[in-house]
């Protein structure tokens, strides 16, 4: 079969890859674009019920199924390191929390890489073009959320919504947290995440939103090939000229853009001869360019959940999830018209981004580089995050019979750096993944403090009056008990970042420049969560979409694709 040729080849149909492919193909010059995805089309309704969203990552055929190396600070546990496999990438299996991060993240990113295109005002513009925010809050929720139209999009392809119905204890929970001292924030996605807000999700009318939605109405000059796992980039005289996948070769006359995610993009680079030469040679891969930083600098947010049985009937969940007849009827209703409990129940709650005086005044903070310390002190930069009504029964089915409160706690700005490394010369064998969670002393101290601050709330009279028993929680507020709990229970929240880090030329940890170009290689860019030079303060899908839009903008400008032929 003759090799097919395209102007641009994009590898990976996650948030970044779908946006790049669609925006390139839609530019005035209408270049021929190929989007290759290793997985299947999983964009049909059967995979997208918002009400069972947290079950998606547990479906083996939708997931690459990765596990980390044993983590010494987590009792040597190998933890789940899921990545979405299929059209939409990890957006098709994620938990749907919609957070853009802090405007300070984007301004710092611009400064770190020396390019103002990453500044908040530009990032926010791209975000607004992608988003279609539906503010259909219930009556009782309106006083807590008030996004300004100027901060959001209402015409993008990504449907985002607040839940139109709330579980009955949510207003009291938010009131209590405000009374406890958390500042009310009417819109945590305005660039200022600090405080407590109801959260918005990547879903609407009971249907999960995924990156596949970006491809709706795709133009004819964009070809999508599924079940094609890219093994390496074909390089000739220092230039990327195509790719070799599990099924065949494809050629690109202009560029190859790798958007396979933070665990797979470095994998493809290494098998193309671009990575740490010593590592490649160990596995008989010819090194074309020694780039020691490929696979290094892996960062992620440590996370742990705390759960408490609540007084029966103060919530809506047990009465529903423990009743098979109601479950069956609700699923029938969702299938018919997308409404009913599976469109709202346990899909709503509050999100808090908190500053912590104790963390900011700690001895451990003072050991960090001055720039990092200054960043953390910024009034728009949180030290930790919590959610209030996580649907943990989708992971621990026994919880379906009880009314329970579940708070995931996330450490922001974690300092530990991990790595992904080769373990085989066979491209079908994944990299060894070692996030080295909590290896940095700052992270261990800050995570303990964050959990303690949440526990102080759950032990306050206003919350404790309705608690029947802790279900999963440290035994006390002591460092030792919290540390034991972390070791037994903590994991990450799948925000892998930084393995193909963006930076300035000559920086030893930089792999791509601010135009997403791999240093020293022509015609090759990487654009997905792997390039982030910092850990975004929030959940990462929005950042991945923005990365895609930024890269598309750069390419369209560089190649003059915005001008008609
Ligand atoms: C379980 C889970 C829960 C999460 N929850 C949230 C959340 O609530 N909110 C949030 O904002 N973020 C969440 N995230 C993170 C978020 O989904 C990711 O940050 C985001 O999807 C990353 O986008 P990406 O484009 O960088 O990569 P991905 O979304 O990982 O996309 C990469 C794509 O490339 C494809 N690919 C990989 N290798 C190859 C290859 N060799 N050949 C061809 N194709 C390939 C993959 O199959 C995939 O489709 C979660 C992630 C997971 C896994």
């Amino acid at each position: 079969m003759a090799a097919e040729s395209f102007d641009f080849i994009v590898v990976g149909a996650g948030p970044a890859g779908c946006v790049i492919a669609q925006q390139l193909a839609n530019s005035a010059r209408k270049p021929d674009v190929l989007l290759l995805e290793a997985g299947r089309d999983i964009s049909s309704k059967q995979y997208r019920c918002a009400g069972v969203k947290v079950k998606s990552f547990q479906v083996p055929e939708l997931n690459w199924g990765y596990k980390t190396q044993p983590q010494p600070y987590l009792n040597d546990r190998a933890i789940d390191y899921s990545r979405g496999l299929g059209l939409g990438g990890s957006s098709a299996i994620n938990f749907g929390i919609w957070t853009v991060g802090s405007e300070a993240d984007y301004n710092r990113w611009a400064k770190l890489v020396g390019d103002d295109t990453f500044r908040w005002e530009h990032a926010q513009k791209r975000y607004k073009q992608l988003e279609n925010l539906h503010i259909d809050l219930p009556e009782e929720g309106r006083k807590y959320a008030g996004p300004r139209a100027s901060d959001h999009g209402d015409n993008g392809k990504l449907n985002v919504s607040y839940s139109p119905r709330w579980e009955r204890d949510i207003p009291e929970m938010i009131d209590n947290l405000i009374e406890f001292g958390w500042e009310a924030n009417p819109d945590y996605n305005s660039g200022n995440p600090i405080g407590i807000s109801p959260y918005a999700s990547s879903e609407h009318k009971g249907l999960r939103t995924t990156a596949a939605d970006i491809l709706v109405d795709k133009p004819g000059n964009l070809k999508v090939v599924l079940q094609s796992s890219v093994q390496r980039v074909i390089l000739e005289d220092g230039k990327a000229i195509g790719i070799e996948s599990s099924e065949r070769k494809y050629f690109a006359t202009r560029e190859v853009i790798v958007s396979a995610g933070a665990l797979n993009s470095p994998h493809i680079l290494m098998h193309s001869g671009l990575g740490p030469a010593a590592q490649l040679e160990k596995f008989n891969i010819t090194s074309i360019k020694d780039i020691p930083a490929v696979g290094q600098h892996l960062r992620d947010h440590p996370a742990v959940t705390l759960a408490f049985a609540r007084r029966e009937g103060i919530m809506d969940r047990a009465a529903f999830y423990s009743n098979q007849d109601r479950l069956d009827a609700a699923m029938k209703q969702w299938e018919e018209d997308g409404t009913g409990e599976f469109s709202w129940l346990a899909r709503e709650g509050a999100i808090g981004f908190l500053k912590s005086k104790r963390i900011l005044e700690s001895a451990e903070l003072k050991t960090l580089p001055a720039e990092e310390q200054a960043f953390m002190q910024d009034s728009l930069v949180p030290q930790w995050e919590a959610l209030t009504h996580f649907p943990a029964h989708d992971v621990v089915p026994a919880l379906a019979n009880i009314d329970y409160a579940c708070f995931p706690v996330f450490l922001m700005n974690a300092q530990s750096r991990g790595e992904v490394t080769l373990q085989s010369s066979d491209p079908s064998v994944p990299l060894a993944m070692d996030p080295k969670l909590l290896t940095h002393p700052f992270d261990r101290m800050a995570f303990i403090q964050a959990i303690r601050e949440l526990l102080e709330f759950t032990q306050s009279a206003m919350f404790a009056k309705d608690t029947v028993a802790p279900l999963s929680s440290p035994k006390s507020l002591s460092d030792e008990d919290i540390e034991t709990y972390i070791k037994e229970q903590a994991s990450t929240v799948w925000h892998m970042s930084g393995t193909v880090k963006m930076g300035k030329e000559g920086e030893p940890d930089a792999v791509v420049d601010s135009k997403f170009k791999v240093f020293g290689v022509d015609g090759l860019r990487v654009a997905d969560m792997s390039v982030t030079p910092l850990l975004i303060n929030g959940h990462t899908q929005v950042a991945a979409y923005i990365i895609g839009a930024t890269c598309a903008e750069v390419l369209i400008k560089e190649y003059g694709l915005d001008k008609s032929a």
Side-chain angles (χ1 to χ4, degrees):
M1 194 191 301
E4 273 187 273
S5 184
F6 297 82
D7 293 313
F8 297 94
I9 295 177
V10 181
V11 180
C18 287
V19 172
I20 297 168
Q22 177 80 0
Q23 292 193 0
L24 283 178
N26 271 331
S27 64
R29 289 268 173 138
K30 301 260 170 262
D32 288 327
V33 180
L34 172 66
L35 174 61
L36 290 162
E37 164 57 41
R40 296 179 292 124
D41 184 354
I42 51 171
S43 61
S44 60
K45 188 176 171 186
Q46 74 187 100
Y47 297 108
R48 297 172 71 156
C49 175
V52 289
K53 199 167 46 187
V54 172
K55 288 186 173 167
S56 306
F57 85 108
Q58 301 167 59
V59 179
E61 62 264 32
L62 307 185
N63 196 326
W64 286 82
Y66 299 145
K67 289 256 183 279
T68 67
Q69 300 296 105
Q71 297 299 290
Y73 286 94
L74 299 179
N75 282 351
D76 281 331
R77 286 180 292 127
I79 59 166
D80 184 285
Y81 229 32
S82 291
R83 291 282 83 192
L85 170 65
L87 205 59
S90 300
S91 70
I93 64 162
N94 72 17
F95 296 170
I97 312 292
W98 189 251
T99 65
V100 68
S102 166
E103 66 172 74
D105 294 333
Y106 296 90
N107 294 341
R108 185 184 189 203
W109 184 333
K111 207 166 159 195
L112 286 171
V113 304
D115 192 333
D116 279 353
T117 196
F118 294 94
R119 281 187 60 79
W120 170 242
E121 58 270 27
H122 305 299
Q124 193 194 37
K125 202 167 142 220
R126 294 171 193 129
Y127 164 67
K128 285 160 63 174
Q129 280 166 358
L130 291 163
E131 188 187 49
N132 186 0
L133 178 65
H134 305 268
I135 314 177
D136 34 15
L137 283 152
E139 185 62 40
E140 69 275 19
R142 297 207 182 122
K143 70 172 174 167
Y144 303 104
R148 289 182 310 192
S150 57
D151 287 326
H152 291 275
D154 59 5
N155 199 23
K157 286 190 165 172
L158 300 172
N159 282 308
V160 176
S161 63
Y162 291 93
S163 180
R165 263 189 82 176
W166 279 11
E167 206 161 348
R168 74 184 77 161
D169 69 323
I170 293 179
E172 186 185 346
M173 178 82 86
I174 300 180
D175 287 342
N176 284 345
L177 285 164
I178 292 170
E179 196 183 327
F180 187 69
W182 296 15
E183 195 183 327
N185 182 345
D187 183 9
Y188 67 100
N189 280 328
S190 63
N192 173 11
I194 304 298
I196 177 93
S197 327
Y199 69 75
S201 299
S202 45
E203 63 184 59
H204 183 50
K205 297 199 165 164
L207 208 63
R208 176 200 276 278
T209 297
T210 81
D213 296 336
I214 295 283
L215 303 177
V216 170
D217 301 328
K218 77 174 181 56
N221 53 321
L222 168 54
K223 178 170 178 169
V224 179
V225 174
L226 300 171
Q227 294 181 290
S228 179
S229 186
V230 172
Q231 304 189 326
R232 59 180 68 86
V233 177
I234 306 169
L235 295 153
E236 203 176 80
D237 300 329
K239 183 178 186 319
I241 58 160
I243 62 89
E244 193 177 329
S245 91
S246 48
E247 35 121 33
R248 55 182 294 190
K249 289 180 182 171
Y250 294 95
F251 289 93
T253 53
R254 289 183 160 174
E255 301 237 7
V256 172
I257 301 108
V258 177
S259 300
L263 302 180
N264 288 18
S265 286
H267 185 231
I268 294 172
L269 292 189
M270 288 185 201
H271 281 281
S272 311
L274 307 171
Q279 216 185 104
L280 267 52
E281 277 154 20
K282 205 166 132 201
F283 293 99
N284 300 319
I285 297 171
T286 307
S287 170
I288 290 177
K289 183 160 177 52
D290 182 18
I291 316 179
V294 173
Q296 297 299 301
H297 205 269
L298 171 61
R299 295 180 72 183
D300 207 336
H301 292 129
V304 75
T305 50
L306 282 68
F308 303 87
R310 306 287 279 162
R311 202 160 42 77
E312 201 182 323
I314 69 160
M315 306 174 77
D316 297 293
R317 46 187 69 190
F320 176 68
Y321 293 110
S322 63
N323 183 328
Q324 195 57 48
D325 290 342
R326 281 188 68 186
L327 286 165
D328 293 345
M331 186 45 81
K332 197 160 169 269
Q333 187 177 344
W334 180 82
E335 280 163 2
E336 274 167 21
D337 62 9
T339 64
E341 281 90 344
F342 283 115
S343 70
W344 67 270
L345 184 55
R347 260 63 233 163
E348 16 68 294
I351 189 165
F353 286 98
L354 292 313
K355 292 213 66 79
S356 165
K357 202 159 174 264
R358 290 178 203 151
I359 295 174
L360 292 176
E361 290 176 355
S362 67
E364 287 84 350
L365 183 111
K366 296 190 173 69
T367 66
L368 302 181
E371 189 265 349
E372 189 76 50
Q373 288 189 44
F375 178 70
M376 289 200 205
Q377 298 285 356
D378 188 307
S379 62
L380 299 183
V381 174
Q383 275 66 64
W384 62 284
E385 179 203 333
L387 299 173
T388 63
H389 281 72
F390 185 71
H393 55 269
D394 281 343
V395 188
V396 184
L399 289 171
N401 299 316
I402 3 176
D403 280 326
Y404 69 93
C406 181
F407 303 90
V409 175
F410 312 98
L411 177 64
M412 298 288 104
N413 293 298
Q415 297 297 305
S416 303
R417 262 70 166 176
E419 60 181 7
V420 287
T421 50
L422 273 172
Q423 53 181 354
S424 170
S425 52
D426 177 354
S428 66
V429 176
L431 298 176
M433 297 157 191
D434 187 359
K436 300 186 198 290
L437 285 172
L438 302 172
T439 49
H440 197 293
F442 170 83
D443 294 356
R444 296 199 291 279
M445 174 281 303
F447 201 28
I448 287 173
Q449 287 296 0
I451 295 164
R452 181 178 291 125
E453 288 175 24
L454 196 271
L455 283 170
E456 284 166 356
F457 168 70
T458 61
Q459 293 192 359
S460 68
M462 58 186 139
F463 181 83
K465 71 177 176 23
D466 293 320
T467 297
V468 177
L471 294 169
S472 186
S473 170
K475 285 202 186 91
S476 79
L477 269 60
S478 73
D479 278 8
E480 294 70 28
D481 282 342
I482 298 176
E483 194 180 356
T484 302
Y485 187 71
I486 289 172
K487 285 184 170 160
E488 289 169 356
Q489 299 291 334
S491 60
T492 83
V493 64
W494 304 283
H495 293 167
M496 308 79 160
S497 309
T499 48
V500 184
K501 188 172 166 284
M502 182 179 283
K504 295 178 189 155
E505 184 149 26
E507 286 175 349
D509 60 355
V511 181
V512 296
D513 68 13
S514 71
K515 308 292 183 215
F516 302 89
K517 280 183 177 169
V518 177
F519 283 114
V521 183
D522 286 336
L524 181 61
R525 309 205 191 209
V526 178
D528 55 29
M529 281 309 292
S530 66
V531 303
T532 53
L534 46 71
L535 200 48
I536 290 288
N537 280 294
H539 303 251
T540 43
Q541 62 177 337
V542 179
Y545 284 115
I546 293 174
I547 289 167
T550 312
C551 182
E553 212 175 285
V554 166
L555 284 163
I556 289 168
K557 193 165 171 217
E558 236 175 79
Y559 284 95
L561 302 175
D562 48 349
K563 300 174 191 77
S564 307

